[in-house]
Amino acid sequence: MDSFELNKVLGAVLGTCLVLLAMNIAAGAIFTPPKLAKPGYEIVVPEHPTEEAKGPAEEAQPIEVLLASASVERGENVVKKCASCHTFTKGGPNRVGPNLWGVVGRKHASEAGFNDSAAMQKMSGNWTIDELNKFLTSPKAFVPGTAMSFAGLRDKDRADAIAYLNTLSDSPAPLPTKAAEAPAAPAGAAPAPAAPAEAPKH
């Protein structure tokens, strides 16, 4: 290859490099984003959230009210999320947590062969419906120091689960019901007469 041909090749290579450099500079000028005054992303947050964003406030309902519409069938499905730590059959083995057959009315920390936490062993009495309701709402809040890391159940699921757990017994106890309220007096009705006062004794 003579010097003329070599110069042509070198010129072509140099020209290609110049074209690529020019394209890179032009692309950078076109597509480079503007420099931010402050690093990060700006998130617009409304000063006063709307009522829809806030949502209605939930009020805790008594367990007796929740149990009135509870379903044992739904409760059986709810407790499936607990099956990795508990068993539910009579004479079933303990796992990470104790077997839950007969838990309603059972003495705290009394399941044979299960080593309960020190916090649970300090509790006296038996597992009542009300205590189960409070415990399943937030185990760590009801029994500070418990080893149970479960976050808790919402109202409907909790009532269904308790209704199902109550059936895990040879003789299930009746679930508590809300006491019937006295009927309101019709408008305009005279108030009931007060009982006569007892005469003082001498």
Side-chain angles (χ1 to χ4, degrees), residues 85-125:
C85 297
H86 299 277
T87 58
F88 302 90
T89 56
K90 186 176 183 178
N94 297 315
R95 292 180 178 170
V96 178
N99 172 267
L100 294 181
W101 173 271
V103 66
V104 179
R106 185 167 73 198
K107 189 177 184 299
H108 297 118
S110 64
E111 180 63 11
F114 185 76
N115 185 24
D116 285 273
S117 63
M120 192 68 73
Q121 292 178 23
K122 292 179 181 177
M123 295 185 66
S124 59

Side-chain angles (χ1 to χ4, degrees), residues 96-190:
V96 178
N99 172 267
L100 294 181
W101 173 271
V103 66
V104 179
R106 185 167 73 198
K107 189 177 184 299
H108 297 118
S110 64
E111 180 63 11
F114 185 76
N115 185 24
D116 285 273
S117 63
M120 192 68 73
Q121 292 178 23
K122 292 179 181 177
M123 295 185 66
S124 59
N126 300 336
W127 280 113
T128 63
I129 294 293
D130 185 58
E131 285 196 347
L132 282 171
N133 176 51
K134 294 175 181 177
F135 183 72
L136 293 177
T137 299
S138 176
K140 289 189 177 296
F142 184 65
V143 185
T146 180
M148 185 169 175
S149 58
F150 187 63
L153 295 171
R154 60 181 184 176
D155 285 357
K156 182 179 178 182
D157 288 347
R158 193 168 64 252
D160 291 339
I162 291 174
Y164 171 68
L165 291 175
N166 190 62
T167 67
L168 305 182
S169 171
D170 293 326
S171 54
L175 293 172
T177 57
K178 183 180 179 182
E181 297 179 355

Side-chain angles (χ1 to χ4, degrees), residues 4-112:
F4 179 72
E5 292 295 331
L6 180 60
N7 289 337
K8 286 171 60 178
V9 172
L10 293 176
V13 172
L14 180 60
T16 302
C17 291
L18 290 175
V19 170
L20 290 175
L21 179 61
M23 291 177 62
N24 184 46
I25 294 173
I30 296 172
F31 298 107
T32 300
K35 186 176 181 180
L36 299 177
K38 293 186 295 183
Y41 296 94
E42 181 179 3
I43 301 175
V44 179
V45 180
E47 294 183 3
H48 303 287
T50 61
E51 292 299 324
E52 291 79 8
K54 292 180 181 178
E58 294 185 1
E59 296 183 2
Q61 297 186 11
I63 188 59
E64 294 83 2
V65 175
L66 297 172
L67 287 172
S69 58
S71 165
V72 172
E73 290 74 20
R74 291 197 305 263
E76 187 172 5
N77 287 325
V78 170
V79 301
K80 286 181 179 179
K81 66 181 67 176
C82 312
S84 60
C85 297
H86 299 277
T87 58
F88 302 90
T89 56
K90 186 176 183 178
N94 297 315
R95 292 180 178 170
V96 178
N99 172 267
L100 294 181
W101 173 271
V103 66
V104 179
R106 185 167 73 198
K107 189 177 184 299
H108 297 118
S110 64
E111 180 63 11

